[in-house]
């Protein structure tokens, strides 16, 4: 099978989206798929993200976009993607960019297109932007129309959680074949990185990842006022958002209990997890936080054998069971979060038991397993093109 994965964001890159794409195409290549990854030219190296070479079956086809145009629009990349598809003639196209998918699906004779969705875009837009103007209401309406077209016309739909497909189906009324494909973890890299936390300082509670408001960092900072003798280390995020949270920490009187480490090199994230005593995932009640996220960090926490405290939300309950392999607390409740953290801080044996159980959970969420499920879905619902000239017989790409 020849598969083309197209995305207007550079890959490899240290963003969660780019990391997931890179791990997915690598795992598909290791299953024997001949795969072509078409993105703008990245500045990061594959080894700097994965810690190893990419599968030999994966070809990176970087696009050198015109700088001025690409600063304001992805259209130059979309046109480039169309030209690449015409040259590659793949059996399957895989996308997670809604605008590009809508554009390709409007063209006759396109290869079977599978869409990987990570959210209900229209719902997320409404949660993040009050529809208090004609312009925003129109944008929300057009987004709904685009989602409906893509989900109805694509060959198959991959959803990141089991809650996403029924919500989309209820909103748009389609019956497109679908498969749940949660995020994964690099089990080999996690295994190599497992070490005991350093001793001598206060216990460390780690939050790793982006700092979007739906991630629940405000709740975590409020909880730290009630947490006994521990340091919250926040790794990741952009400077502006870090400054906002630092100001909140000072306002709450917990600045001396919080360490904002900022962004770190991708491969150092396992080092950061290894040095933590407890890992944190304080998600909110939003659609993204409660129903549509399959956090990379959760599986990395688990694979590293760490006790995880997380919001008791549907997307988390898909993976964790309270008191068995994780510790779930009432979301957006600082007191409940503090109580959960204090319980684990006082009980080292409980932390160890939850961490060891989490390692077993992580084994079900390898990138290899994700790729296997996806390939089976493509083979079941794809319709490979016939009489396609082999790539070797065409001009070099």
């Amino acid at each position: 099978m020849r598969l083309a994965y197209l995305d207007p964001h550079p890959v490899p890159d240290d963003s969660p989206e780019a990391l997931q794409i890179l791990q997915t195409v690598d795992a598909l290549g290791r299953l024997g798929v001949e795969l072509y990854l078409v993105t703008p030219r990245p500045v990061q190296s594959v080894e700097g993200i994965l810690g190893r070479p990419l599968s030999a079956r994966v070809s990176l086809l970087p696009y050198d976009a015109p700088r001025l145009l690409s600063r304001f629009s992805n259209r130059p990349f979309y046109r480039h993607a169309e030209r690449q598809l015409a040259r590659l003639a793949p059996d399957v196209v895989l996308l997670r960019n809604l605008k590009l998918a809508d554009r390709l699906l409007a063209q006759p004779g396109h290869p079977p297109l599978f869409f990987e969705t990570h959210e209900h875009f229209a719902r997320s837009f409404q949660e993040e932007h009050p529809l208090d103007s004609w312009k925003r209401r129109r944008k929300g309406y057009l987004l709904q129309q685009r989602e409906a077209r893509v989900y109805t016309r694509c060959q198959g739909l991959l959803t990141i959680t089991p809650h996403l497909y029924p919500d989309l189906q209820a909103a748009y009324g389609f019956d497109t074949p679908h498969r749940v494909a949660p995020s994964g973890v690099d089990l080999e890299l996690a295994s190599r990185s497992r070490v005991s936390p350093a001793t001598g300082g206060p216990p460390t509670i780690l939050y790793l990842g982006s700092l979007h408001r739906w991630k629940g960092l405000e709740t975590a900072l409020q909880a730290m006022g009630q947490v006994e003798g521990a340091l919250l280390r926040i790794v990741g995020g952009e400077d502006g958002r870090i400054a906002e949270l630092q100001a909140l920490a000072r306002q709450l009187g917990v600045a001396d209990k919080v360490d904002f480490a900022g962004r770190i090199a991708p491969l150092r994230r396992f080092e950061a997890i290894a040095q933590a005593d407890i890992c944190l995932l304080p998600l909110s009640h939003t659609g993204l936080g409660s129903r549509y996220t399959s956090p990379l960090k959760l599986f990395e926490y688990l694979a590293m054998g760490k006790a995880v405290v997380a919001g008791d939300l549907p997307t988390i309950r898909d993976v964790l069971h309270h008191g068995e392999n994780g510790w779930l607390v009432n979301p957006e409740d600082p007191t409940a979060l503090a109580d959960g953290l204090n319980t684990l801080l006082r009980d080292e044996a409980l932390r160890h038991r939850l961490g060891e159980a989490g390692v077993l959970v992580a084994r079900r969420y390898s990138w290899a397993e994700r790729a296997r499920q996806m390939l089976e879905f493509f083979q079941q619902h794809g319709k490979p093109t016939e009489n396609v000239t082999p790539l070797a017989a065409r001009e070099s790409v």
Side-chain angles (χ1 to χ4, degrees), residues 110-347:
H110 60 78
L113 189 151
F114 290 80
F115 191 78
E116 177 182 341
T117 185
H118 290 236
E119 61 183 296
H120 183 172
F121 290 95
R123 175 174 172 175
S124 297
F125 179 79
Q126 291 174 16
E127 289 179 345
E128 296 174 5
H129 305 91
L131 303 181
D132 53 3
S133 68
W134 174 86
K135 185 176 181 180
R136 282 185 173 173
R137 287 193 295 273
R138 183 174 185 275
K139 187 172 182 178
Y141 171 77
L142 293 176
L143 189 54
Q144 288 178 328
Q145 296 301 303
R146 180 176 291 127
E147 278 198 289
R149 288 194 297 269
V150 170
Y151 300 150
T152 301
R153 297 176 182 177
C154 68
Q155 195 79 20
L157 192 62
L158 293 156
T159 59
I160 198 72
T161 76
H163 311 284
L164 184 48
Y165 185 84
D167 285 6
L168 294 174
Q169 193 176 43
Y172 301 119
F174 56 81
D175 59 357
T176 305
H178 91 287
R179 178 73 61 92
V180 178
S183 293
V185 60
D186 189 326
L187 294 175
E188 180 182 351
L189 188 56
S191 177
R192 294 203 309 263
S193 305
R194 289 186 68 180
V195 297
S196 299
T199 57
T204 301
I205 302 162
L206 174 71
Y207 173 84
L208 172 69
S210 61
L211 308 182
H212 300 302
R213 296 188 184 279
W214 58 271
K215 299 285 189 174
L217 273 301
E218 284 82 359
T219 301
L221 293 179
Q222 293 169 37
M224 286 306 294
Q226 306 172 58
V227 171
E228 305 162 1
L231 176 72
L232 171 61
R233 187 165 191 242
I234 298 175
V235 177
E238 303 297 333
D239 291 345
R241 180 64 171 145
I242 290 173
E244 288 181 18
L245 293 172
Q246 286 175 324
L248 178 59
R250 290 192 295 268
Q251 179 184 334
L252 295 169
V254 298
D256 60 336
K257 302 172 72 172
V258 184
D259 170 32
F260 290 89
R263 299 181 70 172
I264 61 174
L267 289 178
R268 289 192 59 208
R269 70 190 187 279
F270 288 100
E271 175 186 327
I273 297 171
Q275 294 304 320
D277 295 279
I278 298 170
C279 289
L280 182 61
L281 196 60
L283 297 171
S284 68
H285 279 294
T286 60
L288 272 173
S290 65
R291 298 180 66 78
Y292 310 145
T293 186
S294 178
L296 297 176
K297 68 179 70 64
L298 173 59
F299 303 116
E300 292 175 348
Y301 292 164
L302 295 173
M304 293 287 288
K306 298 301 176 178
V308 177
V309 177
D312 188 4
L313 294 163
T315 190
I316 299 300
R317 290 195 297 270
D318 293 335
V319 181
L320 299 181
H321 299 286
H322 178 67
E324 296 180 17
N325 46 37
W327 200 262
L328 306 185
V329 301
N330 188 35
E332 300 184 40
D333 184 338
T335 298
L337 179 55
D339 288 346
L341 291 170
N342 285 329
T343 297
L344 267 62
L345 286 167
R346 289 191 294 261
D347 194 336

Side-chain angles (χ1 to χ4, degrees), residues 71-107:
R71 285 182 60 190
F72 303 102
S73 173
N74 284 326
R75 289 180 182 174
F77 175 79
Y78 296 161
R79 290 191 288 269
H80 172 77
E82 291 167 354
R83 291 192 295 269
Q84 287 288 55
L85 283 184
R87 298 176 66 181
L88 295 170
D91 301 313
V92 169
V93 177
L94 179 59
L95 297 170
R96 56 177 287 179
N97 181 273
L98 198 65
K99 285 186 178 180
L100 180 55
D102 192 25
R103 179 172 175 141
L104 294 178
L105 287 167
Q107 300 176 6

